[in-house]
Amino acid sequence: MSARPIASLSLGFGLVSIPVQLFSAAEPSAGVRLHLLAPDGTRVRQQYVSEKSGKRVERREMVKGYEFEKDRYVVFTPDELHELDEHDDPAIDIVAFVPADAVDPLYVDKAWLLAPDKRGGKPYALLREAMRETGRCALARWTFRGKQSVVLVRPLDEGLVLHTLLYADEVRRPADLGIAPLAVSKAELQLARQLIDQISQDRYDPAQFHDEERQRIQAAIERKIAGRQVVEQAPHEERSGAQVIDLMDALRASLGPRGAKAAPASKAAAGPRPQARKARDSSSTGSRPTATMASEGKAASARRSSRAKL
């Protein structure tokens, strides 16, 4: 089934207006949707009830309000809201070109696809190739579905992708979380870098990953349709990683055989293991290893046997 355009727009590039069509970048049929049903299997309807009177309120009777204090609202009529709403604008006005990596992915909200509309193929291809050669993307303003957004337009494959961006006051950064800075040792950093190198890839392949939860739900739906009993999901296997206390041991275990050869210096820096200290302590107190005592016992027995023969 071919994709259907959501809207016809124009992409402003200097004095050039490029007619484009807007498509969703997400596949709507990819998800599995479960409906709320009554116990007898029939559909249910949602109703709104007044908290004060308990009576049902029809949607046409509802108004919108802003809560400025607890349980206190300022109310807007539909006409007032209509005056405040941004009206959709088919024009995507480019205001600047920035380096391709200038926008932090944290600000990216949603992705759309842009395709050339009638008589827009040549200027569309010109803008795409110019951005690709210069390594830059376009920042633009766009109003869609009653909301004004800053958008990023970038080349991808043979087309253009439009990303709506979040505003600065809509984004939280790690600095807002109060994360305490902690120092790491050179040995720990070296092992961590080895682990990164061991499982590094040159590119992201989306086909490598699958939505396993959706596949389980879809399989259960197919069994239901076929009249089979749904099998209860096996209990989740707990990861043993939570039991590892020593960070260096965890990094070495992650590296596997290569990690065992990686850090003899770090073992020396970390100090002797408890077993080594125990062996030294036992030797200093006069105790001897079990294997040595057993061999000495056999030698004494042999000497007694030879004296008896004499």
Side-chain angles (χ1 to χ4, degrees):
M1 181 178 178
S2 60
R4 294 183 179 181
I6 299 173
S8 295
L9 309 171
S10 63
L11 183 59
F13 174 39
L15 298 178
V16 178
S17 181
I18 307 173
V20 294
Q21 289 184 322
L22 181 73
F23 296 83
S24 175
E27 179 58 52
S29 61
V32 178
R33 183 181 178 184
L34 299 178
H35 297 271
L36 292 175
L37 305 174
D40 60 359
T42 58
R43 296 287 297 268
V44 296
R45 292 183 297 175
Q46 187 180 42
Q47 294 183 350
Y48 293 92
V49 178
S50 170
E51 290 186 354
K52 183 177 180 180
S53 65
K55 295 181 179 180
R56 177 181 172 181
V57 181
E58 298 293 340
R59 183 175 291 273
R60 64 177 180 274
E61 300 173 333
M62 296 180 187
V63 295
K64 293 185 177 181
Y66 176 81
E67 186 178 22
F68 63 97
E69 291 180 2
K70 180 64 176 176
D71 295 331
R72 297 188 66 189
Y73 300 86
V74 287
V75 178
F76 290 87
T77 65
D79 292 338
E80 291 173 331
L81 291 176
H82 181 71
E83 293 178 0
L84 294 174
D85 281 344
E86 285 282 350
H87 299 288
D88 289 359
D89 188 347
I92 305 172
D93 297 321
I94 296 176
V95 297
F97 289 93
V98 298
D101 57 352
V103 177
D104 192 323
L106 191 62
Y107 291 89
V108 176
D109 184 27
K110 192 174 182 180
W112 307 80
L113 301 179
L114 296 176
D117 207 343
K118 298 177 181 178
R119 297 181 300 277
K122 187 63 177 288
Y124 178 95
L126 175 62
L127 175 61
R128 180 194 63 213
E129 292 307 314
M131 287 195 292
R132 180 171 289 156
E133 288 193 5
T134 58
R136 292 188 172 257
C137 299
L139 284 177
R141 293 190 181 96
W142 179 45
T143 302
F144 184 60
R145 293 176 177 172
K147 182 179 180 181
Q148 187 183 66
S149 301
V150 177
V151 300
L152 179 76
V153 180
R154 65 181 181 90
L156 178 66
D157 300 332
E158 298 304 316
L160 295 175
V161 180
L162 181 147
H163 298 279
T164 53
L165 303 179
L166 299 170
Y167 290 103
D169 58 357
E170 296 178 316
V171 173
R172 289 178 179 171
R173 302 197 66 86
D176 302 328
L177 305 181
I179 301 174
L182 295 175
V184 296
S185 68
K186 290 184 178 180
E188 293 169 339
L189 185 59
Q190 178 65 24
L191 284 176
R193 292 180 61 178
Q194 290 178 12
L195 177 58
I196 291 174
D197 292 340
Q198 184 172 316
I199 59 175
S200 292
Q201 296 180 355
D202 294 332
R203 59 185 295 271
Y204 165 63
D205 181 10
Q208 185 179 356
F209 303 92
H210 303 279
D211 188 344
E212 296 178 358
E213 180 184 8
R214 177 168 61 87
Q215 291 176 347
R216 289 197 304 270
I217 295 176
Q218 189 65 53
I221 292 173
E222 295 298 331
R223 290 196 298 268
K224 282 283 190 180
I225 295 175
R228 297 172 55 187
Q229 181 67 29
V230 176
V231 179
E232 184 178 355
Q233 183 177 348
H236 178 69
E237 182 180 354
E238 294 293 336
R239 292 178 178 265
S240 59
Q243 300 175 1
V244 178
I245 299 175
D246 189 277
L247 178 59
M248 298 289 285
D249 288 343
L251 290 170
R252 292 192 194 97
S254 300
L255 285 169
R258 290 170 53 181
K261 305 176 183 178
S266 64
K267 289 185 177 181
R273 293 291 181 188
Q275 292 83 350
R277 288 198 297 268
K278 184 176 180 181
R280 287 200 300 271
D281 292 342
S282 62
S283 63
S284 63
T285 57
S287 301
R288 290 172 294 181
T290 303
T292 304
M293 295 176 67
S295 61
E296 291 181 357
K298 291 180 179 179
S301 177
R303 287 196 297 270
R304 288 194 299 268
S305 176
S306 62
R307 285 198 299 267
K309 291 179 180 179
L310 292 174

